[in-house]
């Protein structure tokens, strides 16, 4: 009923991975067939990692967890969560509006200034995060933030420090230029940041926990060859990363992503308008870089948690592709959540809420 790692002395390491969810994550990555991809699913309550999967096209049968624990891809628009955190800390609210033009695929210098003759739309920060609208986040960052403020929010959410974990991890990174346009582009998620799927799931879990960052773990216990349970090294305690009000505002905006924003097609049936996951609301953030990088890959991200009203699991899915396929990380995330909903890991409170 659990996954284990055998030890040379005949003992074993018992893992937190839930077999059904682990198999589902590996299968979904194989079916989607990215050049490389990863999926992480964690328990919000206690930081147990329930699925930790990585797949590379050159070794399709192997589970390469390094793709889950290493920041091999740009953070893309997932970084907008960091920018929104910093903006909320400066008094910007989800209802703060920006008038803009363009900004769907790029951010240019004129997006950072008022142009009444061009700025035909006025929308809020909440709209910008849910729709992943670049011009809105870039303009708000230009008007309210600087590199010091944005880096402070990034470090609070774990950038620059390898996440404590039972397996080796690498820190997600960022570089913040002082030049206004370059800075605004970073704030919108265009460049100069990278993120590991494990860290993406950790960020989602932090928001789901009201701003308290848990310590993720994959080792449940260690039993030696004589059958004795061995003590585990001490783990870092959960700590306050962002203010509860900030986390609540982020969570509310992230629900918009799946209800009517950039992931609505993955989570709502376009024909009927019904939620695809038995009425369950999901909070999330997408990230997409469709122009291939120097490695020849286009990237698709989804990070989030469910159920949005009483979070139990957080997850991150990252796909690196050679093309701009219609199959996005949000659809893989939805399928993994669907498996969780029918697995033994879902709590009775979730069943009652349905």
């Amino acid at each position: 009923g659990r996954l284990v790692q055998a030890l040379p002395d005949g003992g074993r390491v018992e893992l937190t991975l839930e077999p059904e969810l682990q198999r589902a994550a590996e299968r979904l990555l194989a079916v989607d067939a990215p050049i490389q991809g990863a999926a992480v699913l964690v328990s919000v309550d206690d930081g147990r990692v329930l699925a930790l999967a990585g797949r590379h096209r050159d070794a399709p049968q192997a589970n390469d967890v390094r793709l889950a624990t290493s920041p091999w891809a740009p953070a893309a628009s997932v970084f907008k969560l960091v920018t929104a955190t910093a903006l909320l800390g400066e008094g910007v609210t989800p209802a703060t509006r920006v008038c803009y033009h363009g900004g769907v695929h790029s951010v240019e210098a004129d997006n950072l200034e008022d142009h009444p003759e061009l700025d035909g739309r006025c929308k809020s920060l909440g709209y910008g995060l849910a729709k992943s609208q670049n011009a809105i986040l870039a303009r708000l960052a230009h008007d309210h933030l600087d590199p010091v403020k944005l880096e402070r929010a990034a470090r609070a959410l774990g950038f620059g420090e390898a996440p404590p974990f039972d397996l080796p991890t690498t820190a997600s990174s960022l570089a913040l230029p002082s030049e206004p346009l370059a800075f605004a582009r970073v704030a919108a998620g265009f460049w100069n940041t990278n993120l590991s799927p494990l860290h993406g799931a950790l960020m989602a879990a932090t928001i789901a926990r009201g701003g308290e960052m848990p310590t993720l773990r994959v080792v449940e216990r260690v039993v030696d060859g004589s059958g004795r349970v061995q003590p585990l090294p001490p783990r870092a305690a959960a700590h306050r990363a962002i203010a509860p009000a900030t986390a609540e505002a982020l969570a509310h905006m992230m629900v918009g992503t799946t209800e009517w924003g950039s992931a609505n097609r993955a989570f709502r049936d376009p024909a009927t308008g019904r939620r695809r996951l038995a009425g369950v609301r999901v909070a999330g953030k997408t990230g997409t870089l469709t122009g291939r990088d120097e490695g020849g890959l286009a990237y698709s991200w989804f990070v989030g948690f469910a159920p949005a009203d009483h979070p139990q699991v957080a997850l991150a899915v990252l796909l690196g592709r050679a093309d701009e396929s219609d199959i996005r990380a949000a659809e893989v995330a939805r399928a993994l959540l669907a498996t969780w909903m029918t697995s033994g890991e879902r709590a009775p409170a979730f069943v009652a809420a349905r």
Side-chain angles (χ1 to χ4, degrees), residues 75-81 83 103 106-107 132-139 141 150 181-191 193 285-286 288-289:
S77 285
V78 174
F79 193 76
K80 286 183 171 75
L81 291 174
T83 302
S106 64
V107 171
S132 212
Q133 216 292 340
N134 297 311
I136 294 174
L137 271 294
R139 177 62 186 272
L150 188 54
L181 179 57
F183 172 76
R185 287 173 170 169
V186 174
F190 276 82
W191 56 18
T193 65
K285 182 70 193 80
T286 60
T288 305
L289 283 178

Side-chain angles (χ1 to χ4, degrees), residues 240-260:
R240 171 65 53 191
I242 58 177
T246 298
E248 182 180 2
L250 288 170
H252 179 76
M253 291 189 285
M254 290 169 70
V255 171
T257 298
T258 62
E259 294 285 289
W260 45 266

Side-chain angles (χ1 to χ4, degrees), residues 5-259:
Q5 171 66 53
L7 297 176
D9 67 354
R12 64 189 183 275
V13 179
E14 298 178 358
L15 304 175
T16 62
L17 302 177
E18 204 283 328
E20 183 180 1
L21 297 174
Q22 179 67 22
R23 286 193 297 267
E26 294 179 17
R27 174 181 55 80
L28 288 166
L29 291 175
V31 169
D32 189 68
I35 288 182
Q36 57 192 51
V40 180
L41 184 74
V42 306
S43 168
V44 168
D45 181 57
D46 55 14
R48 287 178 301 124
V49 175
L50 307 176
L52 187 72
R55 180 188 182 277
H56 196 285
R57 186 177 61 181
D58 293 341
Q61 302 305 316
N63 183 36
D64 188 349
V65 297
R66 292 171 299 178
L67 293 174
T69 59
S70 301
W72 52 270
S77 285
V78 174
F79 193 76
K80 286 183 171 75
L81 291 174
V82 175
T83 302
T85 298
L87 288 168
L88 292 166
E90 293 301 310
V92 176
T93 74
T96 300
R97 290 166 64 86
V98 169
C99 295
Y100 65 94
H101 63 279
V104 175
H105 301 295
S106 64
V107 171
E108 305 300 335
D110 64 355
N111 291 123
L112 307 182
E113 303 172 352
D114 288 327
H115 292 278
E117 71 283 5
L118 297 176
D119 296 338
R121 305 190 73 190
C122 297
K123 295 290 184 179
S124 66
L125 169 61
Y127 177 93
L129 193 70
K131 287 286 191 178
S132 212
Q133 216 292 340
N134 297 311
I136 294 174
L137 271 294
R139 177 62 186 272
L140 287 171
H142 175 266
D143 290 351
H144 298 277
L145 300 178
D146 57 37
V148 172
K149 294 174 181 176
L150 188 54
E151 183 173 9
R152 184 186 306 128
R155 291 196 176 277
L157 286 169
F159 279 80
E161 184 176 354
F165 194 50
D166 299 319
L167 297 173
T169 61
T170 306
S172 300
S173 66
L174 76 158
L176 294 174
S178 57
E179 193 278 321
L181 179 57
F183 172 76
R185 287 173 170 169
V186 174
F190 276 82
W191 56 18
N192 286 16
T193 65
N194 62 19
L195 181 69
S196 71
L198 185 77
H199 186 185
L202 178 61
M203 286 175 57
T206 300
I207 296 168
R209 288 169 59 101
E212 184 181 69
M213 182 174 287
T215 297
L216 303 183
R217 59 188 176 93
V218 74
V219 173
E220 189 67 60
R221 67 175 187 167
V222 177
V223 181
D224 67 18
S226 301
R228 293 187 296 267
V229 176
Q230 298 298 301
L232 296 175
R235 290 188 171 95
H239 67 277
R240 171 65 53 191
I242 58 177
T246 298
E248 182 180 2
L250 288 170
H252 179 76
M253 291 189 285
M254 290 169 70
V255 171
T257 298
T258 62
E259 294 285 289

